[in-house]
Amino acid sequence: MSVVGRKYVFDFDSTLTQVEALDILAEISLRDRADRDEIIREIQEITNLGIDGDISFTESLERRIKLLNATREDLQELIAELKNRISRSISSNKEFFQKYASDIYVISCGFKEFIDPIVQAYDIPAERVYANNFEFDENGKIVGFDTANVLASHNGKIACLKALDLPGEVQVIGDGYSDYVMREAGIAHKFFAYTENVHRQKAAAHADHITPNLDEFLYINDLPRNLSYPKNRIKILLLENVHPAAFENLSEDGFSVELIKHSLSEQELIEKIKGVHVLGIRSKTRVTKKVLDAANKLLVVGAFCIGTTQIELEYAKQKGVVVFNAPYSNTRSVVELAIGEIIMLMRSIFPRSTELHNGQWNKTAANSKEIRGKNLGIVGYGNIGKQLSVLAEAMGMRVYYYDINDRLALGNATKCDTLEDLLNVSDVVTLHVDDNPANKNFISTREINQMRRGAYLINLSRGFVVDIAALDAALKDGKLSGAAIDVYPEEPAANGPFETLLSTHQNVILTPHIGGSTEEAQRDIADFVPNKIMEYINSGSTVDAVNFPNIRLPKQQNAHRFLHIHKNVPGIMAHINQVLANYDMNITGQYLSTDSEVGYVISDLDKDYNKEVIKALKGIEHTIKFRVLY
């Protein structure tokens, strides 16, 4: 199979492979030398000088081979290593090399002794590999190279390609000077700077196209490929200084990622969201209806936190935008803070610390109690509440809990049928409820009056859950002995001045919404949310989506995958299957999940398709979004 009149000329080092082969050979042949690292650095410097055209290739080759001190045995080890160092997008697009075998050439300034065994697996025969040859002495040591080979000379690739006199359009794919000069010499029609492994500025500056991977090259040329849409074309915008690991995880998977350290206002986000496929936020940025209307390419929103009230979830669903959050990643961090604050409050640690900071020594046991044997009331027995229950009980506390849902008790925890029952019995009450707007002022004057006199209140859930004025009054009249507050009804968008009624109270611990802000939690979130995003973008999986029907999908096996999001009205599945039948598509697997408003259908198909089928599927009435994966 071929595109009429087109030939593809690949470089080897740092293009077909992730590395420069002679650099790896140096690591092998010099492993027992004390000055190994120094020599390898010198070889790498010489390699780069030659690749960028700053010294002649012949000089580069002579100087490196003298330093290598390599043998035939070393080459066998090199070949084994290179087989494991094929460029990721090259190895994932083996089908292209197989289908277009007769049109693919390798022209390299490397050596056939290690190139031929590698490219053979990609159906590129030795007769279409043009490279240098080593010279060996009688003991098998590499002592030089064939100087008569045109590729051993400066600009040898130009002479080699010219001698081949390939018919039709010639496209060169490589990463260095010796590749782009073929285009400049007029014997290649296009030069693609391949930057998956190394980005060489000179090569990129002289390129017709910069291709961060083979997927991009194949996409531009409309050739068979592993991915229907190159990942480098998928734009991801991360706001609010999410952990750098999120940037690394998504970038490493091939996506184009932009990181902004602060939140954006609605208008700023409306302007920025155009062309963005994935949006990552924390708690400050609001994804409103206007933002979603402006998001012409948005597929998914990742909330790098637990709460999702800052996102218009239902409207996002109507737009076919899937939302993921991180419901478990900071659980331990919040629980540890709660345990610490229970101890600090009951021991009156903060008043004693403040006194010492002010130069006053006040050694006293007054208002200082152990937590052992005390009653802890947990309001909200979800992931955080349950883990707190286990740890508090292990420290000797008696645990009571209340939840509007029927939750199974862990350990010896006692379930309370009403909130009032829990408040009546607890020495410490800690809140871990969700962000449902109905929870506004969940704890106010009435609830505080139901608490034991001298009890303590901890809020690590949502700011609007506690009536701050009522809490302030209860602290002033001694109804409560202390409190710990991490969240507030109104919080600033950025670090800076902040005022609260509670700042005048001695035994009140105030923290700036840091319950989940530990290095470990932020790292876990930076792994969890990007993984969910990548699973959806790469396979269509919606497991753990907060606003969308959940589907766990098997791995694609040599199939095209059609993802169809639609309004949940009768007959859509029948319409989809009728379209597929009309275009003679064979379904190898099909998956459907719905909720009251939307349906999500995934169809795996085992053959090439007429692209008109896509238009027909998009044209089905009530379609919200359609996407192809292969």
Side-chain angles (χ1 to χ4, degrees), residues 4 40 110 116 126 134 149 171 253 258 264 268 307 311 351 356 407 421 447 453 462 497 537 583 591 605 623 627:
V4 177
I40 288 174
D116 284 351
F134 286 119
N149 188 327
Q171 297 188 356
D253 203 45
E258 181 181 359
L264 296 180
E268 288 172 327
I311 305 165
L356 272 180
R407 307 277 193 181
D421 287 345
E447 289 72 29
R453 187 165 191 84
R462 305 293 184 269
I537 296 294
Y583 285 89
Y591 316 89
L605 306 126
T623 296
R627 195 159 60 100

Side-chain angles (χ1 to χ4, degrees), residues 168-402:
E169 180 182 299
V170 176
Q171 297 188 356
V172 173
I173 307 98
D175 69 291
Y177 164 85
S178 63
D179 302 305
Y180 71 71
V181 291
M182 288 186 275
R183 168 76 169 86
E184 290 192 337
I187 53 173
H189 298 84
K190 290 181 180 177
F191 168 62
F192 292 80
Y194 194 82
T195 61
E196 180 173 350
N197 304 306
V198 59
H199 190 292
R200 302 189 191 281
Q201 200 58 47
K202 281 188 178 181
H206 289 81
D208 294 287
H209 298 281
I210 297 174
T211 52
N213 46 60
L214 189 64
D215 301 300
E216 174 72 10
F217 169 78
L218 299 176
Y219 179 81
I220 291 170
N221 284 296
D222 195 23
L223 292 165
R225 54 196 179 274
N226 181 54
L227 297 174
S228 49
Y229 196 69
K231 290 183 183 180
N232 57 281
R233 289 179 174 248
I234 294 176
K235 295 182 179 180
I236 298 180
L237 176 62
L238 300 179
L239 304 179
E240 302 186 63
N241 202 27
V242 300
H243 194 283
F247 180 91
E248 293 164 12
N249 288 337
L250 293 164
S251 297
E252 191 174 309
D253 203 45
F255 299 107
S256 176
V257 188
E258 181 181 359
L259 184 63
I260 295 178
K261 292 189 174 182
H262 52 82
S263 61
L264 296 180
S265 67
E266 182 182 61
Q267 189 54 45
E268 288 172 327
L269 189 52
I270 286 171
E271 294 170 6
K272 192 75 177 173
I273 200 74
K274 292 178 177 65
V276 170
H277 299 87
V278 179
L279 175 65
I281 62 169
R282 293 176 74 180
S283 56
K284 296 283 188 281
T285 301
R286 295 194 59 78
V287 183
T288 63
K289 290 181 178 180
K290 288 182 179 179
V291 169
L292 290 164
D293 285 337
N296 59 330
K297 291 190 176 181
L298 193 63
L299 298 172
V300 57
V301 174
F304 287 73
C305 53
I306 296 177
T308 55
T309 53
Q310 71 277 35
I311 305 165
E312 292 281 356
L313 293 177
E314 287 302 311
Y315 197 67
K317 179 167 66 176
Q318 293 169 26
K319 290 280 188 177
V321 176
V322 181
V323 178
F324 295 100
N325 67 339
Y328 318 112
S329 298
N330 64 4
T331 300
R332 178 69 183 199
S333 298
V334 175
V335 168
E336 287 190 5
L337 181 59
I339 289 287
E341 290 182 334
I342 292 168
I343 295 170
M344 294 288 181
L345 288 172
M346 296 197 74
R347 292 291 301 274
S348 294
I349 295 298
F350 267 64
R352 300 293 84 79
S353 176
T354 301
E355 289 160 0
L356 272 180
H357 276 285
N358 292 330
Q360 181 182 359
W361 182 276
N362 184 18
K363 181 176 173 151
T364 176
N367 298 317
S368 179
K369 311 175 189 70
E370 289 185 351
I371 67 169
R372 180 178 52 177
K374 304 303 187 296
N375 295 346
L376 173 65
I378 300 173
V379 182
Y381 206 60
N383 298 315
I384 293 171
K386 285 179 179 177
Q387 193 171 140
L388 175 59
S389 173
V390 171
L391 292 185
E393 187 176 315
M395 298 183 75
M397 299 191 82
R398 291 188 290 265
V399 177
Y400 298 82
Y401 72 92
Y402 169 74

Side-chain angles (χ1 to χ4, degrees), residues 46 62 90-91 143 224 237 242 311 334 399 413 417 430 465 488 516 530:
I46 296 168
E62 287 173 345
I90 298 290
S91 62
V143 292
L237 176 62
V242 300
I311 305 165
V334 175
V399 177
D417 293 328
T430 179
V465 168
Y488 307 85

Side-chain angles (χ1 to χ4, degrees), residues 314-568:
E314 287 302 311
Y315 197 67
K317 179 167 66 176
Q318 293 169 26
K319 290 280 188 177
V321 176
V322 181
V323 178
F324 295 100
N325 67 339
Y328 318 112
S329 298
N330 64 4
T331 300
R332 178 69 183 199
S333 298
V334 175
V335 168
E336 287 190 5
L337 181 59
I339 289 287
E341 290 182 334
I342 292 168
I343 295 170
M344 294 288 181
L345 288 172
M346 296 197 74
R347 292 291 301 274
S348 294
I349 295 298
F350 267 64
R352 300 293 84 79
S353 176
T354 301
E355 289 160 0
L356 272 180
H357 276 285
N358 292 330
Q360 181 182 359
W361 182 276
N362 184 18
K363 181 176 173 151
T364 176
N367 298 317
S368 179
K369 311 175 189 70
E370 289 185 351
I371 67 169
R372 180 178 52 177
K374 304 303 187 296
N375 295 346
L376 173 65
I378 300 173
V379 182
Y381 206 60
N383 298 315
I384 293 171
K386 285 179 179 177
Q387 193 171 140
L388 175 59
S389 173
V390 171
L391 292 185
E393 187 176 315
M395 298 183 75
M397 299 191 82
R398 291 188 290 265
V399 177
Y400 298 82
Y401 72 92
Y402 169 74
D403 198 299
I404 58 172
N405 297 312
D406 190 17
R407 307 277 193 181
L408 183 66
L410 297 183
N412 296 311
T414 301
K415 178 182 177 182
C416 295
D417 293 328
T418 67
L419 176 62
E420 184 175 0
D421 287 345
L422 179 139
L423 296 174
N424 287 165
V425 75
S426 300
D427 298 304
V428 182
V429 174
T430 179
L431 307 176
H432 304 285
V433 300
D434 63 24
D435 53 4
N436 189 324
N439 286 330
K440 183 176 182 181
N441 289 340
F442 185 80
I443 301 294
S444 191
T445 302
R446 177 175 176 274
E447 289 72 29
I448 291 173
N449 287 338
Q450 292 168 351
M451 294 175 67
R452 288 182 168 186
R453 187 165 191 84
Y456 302 86
L457 178 67
I458 296 174
N459 185 18
L460 296 170
S461 58
R462 305 293 184 269
F464 57 77
V465 168
V466 173
D467 181 341
I468 296 296
L471 175 58
D472 176 57
L475 290 162
K476 283 178 178 175
D477 70 15
K479 171 66 178 177
L480 298 183
S481 292
I485 303 297
D486 185 53
V487 287
Y488 307 85
E490 293 182 6
E491 297 179 3
N495 292 340
F498 181 70
E499 293 182 3
T500 173
L501 289 172
L502 304 177
S503 60
T504 59
H505 297 283
Q506 257 200 330
N507 201 24
V508 172
I509 301 172
L510 300 175
T511 49
H513 202 150
I514 57 169
S517 296
T518 61
E519 292 179 7
E520 293 86 351
Q522 294 308 305
R523 178 58 196 247
D524 285 346
I525 291 171
D527 288 334
F528 184 85
V529 177
N531 282 339
K532 291 300 172 183
I533 290 170
M534 289 186 285
E535 284 175 9
Y536 178 62
I537 296 294
N538 295 340
S539 74
S541 173
T542 52
V543 174
D544 293 327
V546 296
N547 70 329
F548 227 75
N550 277 212
I551 296 184
R552 186 183 300 277
L553 293 164
K555 189 175 180 181
Q556 273 177 278
Q557 297 290 343
N558 298 318
H560 305 291
R561 179 165 284 176
F562 289 178
L563 313 177
H564 191 278
I565 301 170
H566 56 270
K567 293 180 182 177
N568 188 11

Side-chain angles (χ1 to χ4, degrees), residues 111-152:
F111 290 81
K112 283 180 70 69
E113 284 84 356
F114 57 74
I115 296 176
D116 284 351
I118 303 300
V119 302
Q120 185 179 17
Y122 288 81
D123 290 352
I124 303 173
E127 59 265 27
R128 284 205 299 280
V129 175
Y130 296 87
N132 283 294
N133 295 99
F134 286 119
E135 289 184 346
F136 302 87
D137 66 15
E138 63 276 9
N139 297 316
K141 181 180 177 181
I142 298 173
V143 292
F145 53 93
D146 180 6
T147 55
N149 188 327
V150 68
L151 287 164

